[in-house]
Amino acid sequence: MGQIAVKKIAFIGGGAMAKAIIKGIIGGGLIAPEMITVGEPTEAHARSLHEAFGVNVTTDNKKDAWVLSIMGSVTLEQLHAYAPGFPVIRTMPNTPLAAGAGMTAICCDEAVTEPMKQTAAAIFSSCGEIEFVDEKA
């Protein structure tokens, strides 16, 4: 698959789906573990993420970036309310993603650039199949 154009990736929360995506990113050679940061409010869990994957961790989730969400049933409109002014990509991955055999639907708002789309595609392709869709789908 090769590397991706972004220099850093940050996750808000380090739960099961984030771990599966991180595993795919690192396993696919998309970006080095030290270029990934996970904002995880629980210090012990943050430490375990660093030990397991070699990623950076922080208990602070404030970032200057674009948003790539894996939150189920949360619309683009709701995501914009949570992160006003940021480009937003909404994804809907499924559980087999953890085994590298997932299927992820991806929809983007109008502020998302082509490089952002390519980055999202590369991330989720590292964990299975992808499909870009309109949010209404």
Side-chain angles (χ1 to χ4, degrees):
M1 165 104 354
Q3 293 194 324
I4 53 179
V6 298
K7 303 277 189 243
K8 295 180 184 178
I9 296 176
F11 288 83
I12 299 175
M17 193 61 74
K19 286 193 259 186
I21 296 167
I22 291 167
K23 182 179 176 183
I25 291 170
I26 294 170
L30 300 181
I31 194 168
E34 59 271 11
M35 303 312 291
I36 299 172
T37 299
V38 181
E40 173 54 52
T42 307
E43 186 137 348
H45 188 66
R47 196 171 34 257
S48 73
L49 289 164
H50 174 71
E51 291 167 0
F53 299 105
V55 298
N56 297 307
V57 293
T58 180
T59 55
D60 178 8
N61 282 328
K62 294 181 181 176
K63 305 285 179 281
D64 180 23
W66 50 277
V67 176
L68 192 154
S69 170
I70 62 168
M71 293 188 287
S73 302
V74 179
T75 66
L76 286 174
E77 182 180 351
Q78 290 169 309
L79 292 167
H80 280 286
Y82 300 145
F86 290 92
V88 175
I89 297 177
R90 177 182 176 209
T91 66
M92 290 129 299
N94 63 7
T95 304
L97 182 112
M103 179 64 202
T104 302
I106 302 172
C107 67
C108 305
D109 73 12
E110 64 281 344
V112 172
T113 64
E114 191 58 36
M116 292 173 187
K117 289 178 184 178
Q118 291 172 0
T119 298
I123 289 169
F124 288 96
S125 291
S126 74
C127 308
E129 300 295 319
I130 64 163
E131 184 71 34
F132 281 90
V133 298
D134 290 329
E135 186 169 33
K136 63 184 177 211

